Amino acid sequence: MNPDLPQDHPRNIIPELCRLYYSNGWMPGSGGSLSIKYGEEIYITPSGVQKERIQPEDLFVQTVEGEDISGPPSKKALRKSQCSPVFLNIYRLKKPGAVFHLHSKSSVMATLLAEDNTVHLSNLQMIKGIRKWSTGENHKFTDDVSIPIIDNTHREDELVDGMTKAMDNYPDTCAVLVRGHGIYAWGQTWEQTKLVCESYDYLFDIMLQLRTAGVREIRHT
Amino acid sequence: MNPDLPQDHPRNIIPELCRLYYSNGWMPGSGGSLSIKYGEEIYITPSGVQKERIQPEDLFVQTVEGEDISGPPSKKALRKSQCSPVFLNIYRLKKPGAVFHLHSKSSVMATLLAEDNTVHLSNLQMIKGIRKWSTGENHKFTDDVSIPIIDNTHREDELVDGMTKAMDNYPDTCAVLVRGHGIYAWGQTWEQTKLVCESYDYLFDIMLQLRTAGVREIRHT
Amino acid sequence: MNPDLPQDHPRNIIPELCRLYYSNGWMPGSGGSLSIKYGEEIYITPSGVQKERIQPEDLFVQTVEGEDISGPPSKKALRKSQCSPVFLNIYRLKKPGAVFHLHSKSSVMATLLAEDNTVHLSNLQMIKGIRKWSTGENHKFTDDVSIPIIDNTHREDELVDGMTKAMDNYPDTCAVLVRGHGIYAWGQTWEQTKLVCESYDYLFDIMLQLRTAGVREIRHT
Amino acid sequence: MNPDLPQDHPRNIIPELCRLYYSNGWMPGSGGSLSIKYGEEIYITPSGVQKERIQPEDLFVQTVEGEDISGPPSKKALRKSQCSPVFLNIYRLKKPGAVFHLHSKSSVMATLLAEDNTVHLSNLQMIKGIRKWSTGENHKFTDDVSIPIIDNTHREDELVDGMTKAMDNYPDTCAVLVRGHGIYAWGQTWEQTKLVCESYDYLFDIMLQLRTAGVREIRHT
């Protein structure tokens, strides 16, 4: 925590969320990355480090167009996240206030259990926590919420094309899953992005538990 | 914690329980709501916020009849919980000291595994932690404890009718489940309500684990 | 923590372990009870309270023969644990330094999956953490460790007879399981009792995971 | 924490990691052991103690060749870990900066689910967190990562021969599994070793979840 900055500055919020998500198992083994837009600046976690030990000064700051504004102290020898181009592409196309990339097991399992390239969710109350991005309204719990799955690539920045297509084909979604890899999710603010990540994780886990218990369908009544 | 209030004042207890239940996974993504009766006042969490960050001054206070007594500072722009009418209906019909509404996965899974509109529990010791509401005694572990499941509705306040019917039909219950949604549970005090929520969560999870392991029946001897 | 007492006094250790076991899910909804022998005094948790909030002065103190030495301040209106006679019976028959009673789900599931009245464990390294009570040596990992299961009873103190028979029939065991209820486990010291409880929980959970994954046998090579 | 030593000295890092791994369930019931190389000194946890209570002065210090450099205060009566010869053998053969031995359930389950003496991982992004030890590069996510499983032995130091053969036969691996027992894993530094342990745990758990859900194959596209 840097007490000279506002409590909700990305330099304070991102390290706090990293600790939370590490303890959740959503950022294991240096996996995952977080970004928050603050004015015209995008704050992004560095690459390949223990996420739960990130400090306020460790973040990279870029414009939406990818220009570098500032970075961590050079003596720390931190590297920019390979996720940066993926994040910036989403900021340009969707205009969110934050984009998170998580390696949560529930999201990976969702990609491995799906029979086609879409995860379908319905008849669960927590669906109401998910925004229908094209309209700005939240979903009804009876909606069929569809989240696209794209193929994984060897380099993170190679995901950009698949992501763009998925966002075009699923204009309502506020998340894209990457097969065997994890989730990219966004919201209007960091708070909304945090809430939507919790909702997806919860919903994917319910789907997994149902599958494991041998239940194939969620009854409405 | 507001040190000017008694330690067990709802303004101190509710934020503490919200942090606990968030870390438990019972209040994910702003889901769930807590209420405690204190004298003639009902304290209720606000709607749609990160439950683990609720402060003592964020609570709405109403009478059992639904009159507003006080609310959070207006600059916080908090909204009253959609659960309020459901809570107040339970306070009027059952005279409890607290009512909690949780989105625990175990309660949702219980509603999705049940073959009719009732969850049955028997031959488990933790049943003894559940009060037979009509008599005020606790259950024997060999009792058949039946918890009603009602259909979900698009708005939380539309649950009131289904809840009332379920409470009429199951006079012994101190909980009603909502399909694909969660649980409403109550007790004579907030401590008893906390204990009964832990008992249900534990029991539903045992039922799920048994189902997943392929066991259909709990032997008594 | 009472700083006027040694750090490892039961009045300090028991509340600390209660908080740990509550957060583990081993003492949910006021379930479970802990006891430690200190000189000629047995310290025992009170009945029916939130275990994670127990204070040093809340313990009941008895002799092995069941005489009351002291109790909590009377204004707290705490009740003696129904487990006391079960604990004291074990202290008389087995001469341990501590006896813990836990409602861990893994122990309940072990009783519900067993086909007869015994849980069998073998070919797992953590077996080495379990003492063969009759000889005082620890088990080899290839031993067949057998833990007896007794029927549950309506009152906790009615378990005494079944416990005595199980301890007679299984002289090597340092634990007795109660069907649908939980585990009683003991060790030479509180530290050993803590370790053996962790070993059993781990082993029972491995057995459950194997069963759920469809594996029936643990290969040695 | 010993404030007179650098923050990343093994006497500070090892107790901190022990507390983390105890709370993770990777060091239950005194199981598991950690070692870090610092200059020419190897710091190793003592045997048979509650790992979460280890203090900076409790570590044994040896050379790679097994000479004792220093040990805990003798009044503490701590014993050297039976893992020491296994650790030192790995330091001599693989030249890592740290070797961890964990009893994580995911690693034990991986040994019990494998049909031969190898665990295979592929098409999962977290594979990229695992070093191909023979080349020093990290794996591609499409690689077939193979981790050897060796038979358990009655004494920990009897594992040395099986470990040496496994390391010879699998020159790329940075971990060896022991059937029904746990994992030995290493990295260039303690940070890398921590990351690789998190990656393996995550991957083994995904494999278990897939198996339990009835999925036998991970699709690439």
Side-chain angles (χ1 to χ4, degrees), chain A residues 2-35:
Chain A
N2 180 335
D4 298 338
L5 294 172
Q7 212 182 335
D8 69 346
H9 190 281
R11 292 196 186 279
N12 286 327
I13 294 298
I14 286 179
E16 182 188 338
L17 289 179
C18 282
R19 284 192 298 276
L20 175 65
Y21 292 166
Y22 175 76
S23 71
N24 275 0
W26 294 357
M27 300 188 98
S30 91
S33 189
L34 304 185
S35 72

Short mmCIF file of all heavy atoms in Angstrom, two decimals, chain A residues 2-35:
data_model
loop_
_atom_site.label_atom_id
_atom_site.label_comp_id
_atom_site.label_asym_id
_atom_site.label_seq_id
_atom_site.Cartn_x
_atom_site.Cartn_y
_atom_site.Cartn_z
N ASN A 2 0.64 2.11 -0.97
CA ASN A 2 1.33 3.41 -1.00
C ASN A 2 0.37 4.46 -0.43
O ASN A 2 -0.61 4.84 -1.08
CB ASN A 2 1.72 3.74 -2.45
CG ASN A 2 2.43 5.07 -2.53
OD1 ASN A 2 2.26 5.94 -1.67
ND2 ASN A 2 3.22 5.24 -3.57
N PRO A 3 0.64 4.94 0.81
CA PRO A 3 -0.32 5.85 1.47
C PRO A 3 -0.37 7.23 0.82
O PRO A 3 -1.27 8.03 1.12
CB PRO A 3 0.20 5.92 2.90
CG PRO A 3 1.65 5.58 2.82
CD PRO A 3 1.83 4.68 1.62
N ASP A 4 0.59 7.56 -0.07
CA ASP A 4 0.57 8.86 -0.74
C ASP A 4 -0.39 8.89 -1.92
O ASP A 4 -0.61 9.95 -2.52
CB ASP A 4 1.98 9.23 -1.24
CG ASP A 4 2.96 9.34 -0.08
OD1 ASP A 4 2.50 9.57 1.06
OD2 ASP A 4 4.17 9.20 -0.31
N LEU A 5 -0.91 7.75 -2.28
CA LEU A 5 -1.86 7.67 -3.40
C LEU A 5 -3.26 7.39 -2.86
O LEU A 5 -3.41 6.84 -1.77
CB LEU A 5 -1.47 6.54 -4.35
CG LEU A 5 -0.14 6.72 -5.11
CD1 LEU A 5 0.20 5.43 -5.85
CD2 LEU A 5 -0.26 7.89 -6.10
N PRO A 6 -4.31 7.76 -3.64
CA PRO A 6 -5.66 7.43 -3.19
C PRO A 6 -5.79 5.91 -2.96
O PRO A 6 -5.13 5.12 -3.64
CB PRO A 6 -6.56 7.85 -4.35
CG PRO A 6 -5.73 8.76 -5.20
CD PRO A 6 -4.29 8.44 -4.94
N GLN A 7 -6.65 5.55 -2.01
CA GLN A 7 -6.81 4.14 -1.65
C GLN A 7 -7.20 3.29 -2.86
O GLN A 7 -6.83 2.13 -2.95
CB GLN A 7 -7.89 4.03 -0.56
CG GLN A 7 -7.67 2.91 0.41
CD GLN A 7 -8.79 2.82 1.43
OE1 GLN A 7 -9.47 3.82 1.72
NE2 GLN A 7 -9.00 1.64 2.00
N ASP A 8 -7.97 3.86 -3.77
CA ASP A 8 -8.45 3.09 -4.92
C ASP A 8 -7.63 3.34 -6.18
O ASP A 8 -8.10 3.08 -7.29
CB ASP A 8 -9.93 3.36 -5.17
CG ASP A 8 -10.15 4.79 -5.66
OD1 ASP A 8 -9.22 5.62 -5.55
OD2 ASP A 8 -11.25 5.07 -6.16
N HIS A 9 -6.40 3.85 -6.01
CA HIS A 9 -5.49 3.99 -7.16
C HIS A 9 -5.05 2.59 -7.61
O HIS A 9 -4.84 1.72 -6.77
CB HIS A 9 -4.28 4.84 -6.75
CG HIS A 9 -3.42 5.24 -7.91
ND1 HIS A 9 -2.51 4.38 -8.49
CD2 HIS A 9 -3.35 6.40 -8.62
CE1 HIS A 9 -1.91 5.00 -9.50
NE2 HIS A 9 -2.41 6.23 -9.60
N PRO A 10 -4.89 2.38 -8.92
CA PRO A 10 -4.46 1.05 -9.39
C PRO A 10 -3.19 0.54 -8.70
O PRO A 10 -3.05 -0.66 -8.51
CB PRO A 10 -4.22 1.27 -10.89
CG PRO A 10 -5.12 2.40 -11.26
CD PRO A 10 -5.18 3.29 -10.04
N ARG A 11 -2.29 1.44 -8.33
CA ARG A 11 -1.06 0.99 -7.65
C ARG A 11 -1.37 0.39 -6.27
O ARG A 11 -0.55 -0.36 -5.74
CB ARG A 11 -0.07 2.14 -7.50
CG ARG A 11 0.52 2.62 -8.81
CD ARG A 11 1.76 3.47 -8.59
NE ARG A 11 2.26 4.05 -9.83
CZ ARG A 11 3.02 3.41 -10.72
NH1 ARG A 11 3.36 2.15 -10.51
NH2 ARG A 11 3.44 4.03 -11.81
N ASN A 12 -2.50 0.73 -5.69
CA ASN A 12 -2.91 0.12 -4.42
C ASN A 12 -3.85 -1.07 -4.65
O ASN A 12 -3.73 -2.08 -3.96
CB ASN A 12 -3.58 1.16 -3.51
CG ASN A 12 -2.56 2.12 -2.92
OD1 ASN A 12 -1.42 1.72 -2.65
ND2 ASN A 12 -2.96 3.37 -2.74
N ILE A 13 -4.77 -0.92 -5.60
CA ILE A 13 -5.77 -1.97 -5.81
C ILE A 13 -5.16 -3.23 -6.43
O ILE A 13 -5.47 -4.35 -6.03
CB ILE A 13 -6.91 -1.44 -6.72
CG1 ILE A 13 -7.69 -0.33 -6.02
CG2 ILE A 13 -7.85 -2.57 -7.15
CD1 ILE A 13 -8.38 -0.74 -4.76
N ILE A 14 -4.30 -3.06 -7.43
CA ILE A 14 -3.77 -4.24 -8.15
C ILE A 14 -2.96 -5.16 -7.22
O ILE A 14 -3.21 -6.37 -7.19
CB ILE A 14 -2.99 -3.81 -9.41
CG1 ILE A 14 -3.99 -3.35 -10.49
CG2 ILE A 14 -2.11 -4.96 -9.93
CD1 ILE A 14 -3.35 -2.87 -11.79
N PRO A 15 -2.02 -4.63 -6.41
CA PRO A 15 -1.31 -5.56 -5.50
C PRO A 15 -2.26 -6.25 -4.52
O PRO A 15 -2.09 -7.44 -4.22
CB PRO A 15 -0.31 -4.64 -4.78
CG PRO A 15 -0.07 -3.53 -5.74
CD PRO A 15 -1.40 -3.29 -6.41
N GLU A 16 -3.27 -5.53 -4.04
CA GLU A 16 -4.23 -6.13 -3.11
C GLU A 16 -5.01 -7.26 -3.79
O GLU A 16 -5.18 -8.35 -3.22
CB GLU A 16 -5.19 -5.05 -2.60
CG GLU A 16 -6.20 -5.57 -1.60
CD GLU A 16 -7.28 -4.54 -1.23
OE1 GLU A 16 -7.03 -3.32 -1.41
OE2 GLU A 16 -8.37 -4.96 -0.78
N LEU A 17 -5.47 -7.02 -5.02
CA LEU A 17 -6.21 -8.08 -5.74
C LEU A 17 -5.29 -9.26 -6.09
O LEU A 17 -5.71 -10.40 -6.06
CB LEU A 17 -6.84 -7.51 -7.01
CG LEU A 17 -8.02 -6.55 -6.79
CD1 LEU A 17 -8.53 -6.04 -8.14
CD2 LEU A 17 -9.16 -7.23 -6.03
N CYS A 18 -4.04 -8.97 -6.39
CA CYS A 18 -3.09 -10.07 -6.69
C CYS A 18 -2.95 -10.98 -5.47
O CYS A 18 -2.93 -12.21 -5.61
CB CYS A 18 -1.73 -9.52 -7.09
SG CYS A 18 -1.67 -8.92 -8.79
N ARG A 19 -2.85 -10.39 -4.28
CA ARG A 19 -2.73 -11.23 -3.08
C ARG A 19 -4.00 -12.07 -2.89
O ARG A 19 -3.95 -13.25 -2.58
CB ARG A 19 -2.48 -10.36 -1.83
CG ARG A 19 -1.05 -9.84 -1.75
CD ARG A 19 -0.73 -9.24 -0.39
NE ARG A 19 -1.57 -8.09 -0.08
CZ ARG A 19 -1.32 -6.84 -0.49
NH1 ARG A 19 -0.26 -6.56 -1.22
NH2 ARG A 19 -2.14 -5.86 -0.17
N LEU A 20 -5.16 -11.42 -3.09
CA LEU A 20 -6.44 -12.14 -2.97
C LEU A 20 -6.51 -13.28 -4.00
O LEU A 20 -6.88 -14.42 -3.66
CB LEU A 20 -7.61 -11.17 -3.18
CG LEU A 20 -9.01 -11.78 -3.21
CD1 LEU A 20 -9.37 -12.37 -1.85
CD2 LEU A 20 -10.05 -10.72 -3.61
N TYR A 21 -6.16 -12.99 -5.23
CA TYR A 21 -6.30 -13.99 -6.30
C TYR A 21 -5.24 -15.08 -6.19
O TYR A 21 -5.47 -16.22 -6.61
CB TYR A 21 -6.27 -13.33 -7.68
CG TYR A 21 -7.47 -12.45 -7.95
CD1 TYR A 21 -7.48 -11.55 -9.02
CD2 TYR A 21 -8.61 -12.50 -7.16
CE1 TYR A 21 -8.57 -10.74 -9.28
CE2 TYR A 21 -9.71 -11.69 -7.40
CZ TYR A 21 -9.68 -10.81 -8.46
OH TYR A 21 -10.78 -10.01 -8.72
N TYR A 22 -4.09 -14.73 -5.64
CA TYR A 22 -3.10 -15.80 -5.37
C TYR A 22 -3.66 -16.75 -4.32
O TYR A 22 -3.61 -17.97 -4.47
CB TYR A 22 -1.78 -15.19 -4.89
CG TYR A 22 -0.79 -16.25 -4.47
CD1 TYR A 22 -0.11 -17.00 -5.43
CD2 TYR A 22 -0.55 -16.53 -3.13
CE1 TYR A 22 0.78 -18.00 -5.06
CE2 TYR A 22 0.33 -17.53 -2.75
CZ TYR A 22 1.00 -18.26 -3.72
OH TYR A 22 1.87 -19.24 -3.35
N SER A 23 -4.25 -16.19 -3.25
CA SER A 23 -4.76 -17.07 -2.18
C SER A 23 -5.97 -17.86 -2.65
O SER A 23 -6.23 -18.96 -2.18
CB SER A 23 -5.05 -16.27 -0.91
OG SER A 23 -6.19 -15.47 -1.10
N ASN A 24 -6.73 -17.32 -3.61
CA ASN A 24 -7.86 -18.03 -4.26
C ASN A 24 -7.42 -19.16 -5.17
O ASN A 24 -8.27 -19.91 -5.64
CB ASN A 24 -8.57 -17.07 -5.24
CG ASN A 24 -9.59 -16.21 -4.61
OD1 ASN A 24 -9.80 -16.31 -3.42
ND2 ASN A 24 -10.22 -15.36 -5.39
N GLY A 25 -6.16 -19.16 -5.57
CA GLY A 25 -5.71 -20.11 -6.58
C GLY A 25 -5.95 -19.65 -8.01
O GLY A 25 -5.86 -20.43 -8.95
N TRP A 26 -6.24 -18.35 -8.19
CA TRP A 26 -6.50 -17.84 -9.54
C TRP A 26 -5.22 -17.32 -10.21
O TRP A 26 -5.23 -17.03 -11.41
CB TRP A 26 -7.52 -16.70 -9.50
CG TRP A 26 -8.89 -17.10 -9.08
CD1 TRP A 26 -9.33 -18.36 -8.78
CD2 TRP A 26 -10.03 -16.24 -8.93
NE1 TRP A 26 -10.65 -18.34 -8.45
CE2 TRP A 26 -11.11 -17.06 -8.53
CE3 TRP A 26 -10.25 -14.87 -9.09
CZ2 TRP A 26 -12.39 -16.53 -8.28
CZ3 TRP A 26 -11.52 -14.35 -8.85
CH2 TRP A 26 -12.57 -15.18 -8.45
N MET A 27 -4.15 -17.13 -9.44
CA MET A 27 -2.88 -16.66 -10.00
C MET A 27 -1.74 -17.54 -9.49
O MET A 27 -0.80 -17.04 -8.88
CB MET A 27 -2.66 -15.19 -9.62
CG MET A 27 -3.76 -14.26 -10.12
SD MET A 27 -3.41 -12.49 -9.89
CE MET A 27 -2.81 -12.05 -11.53
N PRO A 28 -1.79 -18.84 -9.78
CA PRO A 28 -0.76 -19.74 -9.28
C PRO A 28 0.51 -19.63 -10.11
O PRO A 28 0.44 -19.32 -11.31
CB PRO A 28 -1.39 -21.12 -9.48
CG PRO A 28 -2.22 -20.94 -10.70
CD PRO A 28 -2.76 -19.53 -10.63
N GLY A 29 1.63 -19.91 -9.49
CA GLY A 29 2.88 -20.06 -10.24
C GLY A 29 3.19 -18.91 -11.18
O GLY A 29 3.63 -19.15 -12.30
N SER A 30 2.94 -17.69 -10.78
CA SER A 30 3.17 -16.46 -11.56
C SER A 30 2.17 -16.29 -12.70
O SER A 30 2.29 -15.33 -13.48
CB SER A 30 4.61 -16.36 -12.10
OG SER A 30 4.73 -16.93 -13.38
N GLY A 31 1.18 -17.17 -12.81
CA GLY A 31 0.20 -17.09 -13.89
C GLY A 31 -0.81 -15.98 -13.69
O GLY A 31 -1.08 -15.56 -12.57
N GLY A 32 -1.38 -15.50 -14.81
CA GLY A 32 -2.40 -14.46 -14.77
C GLY A 32 -1.81 -13.07 -14.75
O GLY A 32 -0.61 -12.89 -14.50
N SER A 33 -2.66 -12.08 -14.98
CA SER A 33 -2.21 -10.69 -15.06
C SER A 33 -3.43 -9.78 -14.88
O SER A 33 -4.53 -10.14 -15.28
CB SER A 33 -1.57 -10.44 -16.44
OG SER A 33 -0.94 -9.20 -16.48
N LEU A 34 -3.23 -8.60 -14.25
CA LEU A 34 -4.35 -7.68 -14.03
C LEU A 34 -4.04 -6.33 -14.66
O LEU A 34 -2.88 -5.91 -14.71
CB LEU A 34 -4.60 -7.47 -12.53
CG LEU A 34 -4.86 -8.70 -11.65
CD1 LEU A 34 -5.20 -8.25 -10.23
CD2 LEU A 34 -5.97 -9.58 -12.22
N SER A 35 -5.09 -5.65 -15.14
CA SER A 35 -4.91 -4.29 -15.67
C SER A 35 -6.10 -3.43 -15.28
O SER A 35 -7.24 -3.91 -15.22
CB SER A 35 -4.77 -4.33 -17.19
OG SER A 35 -6.01 -4.64 -17.80
#
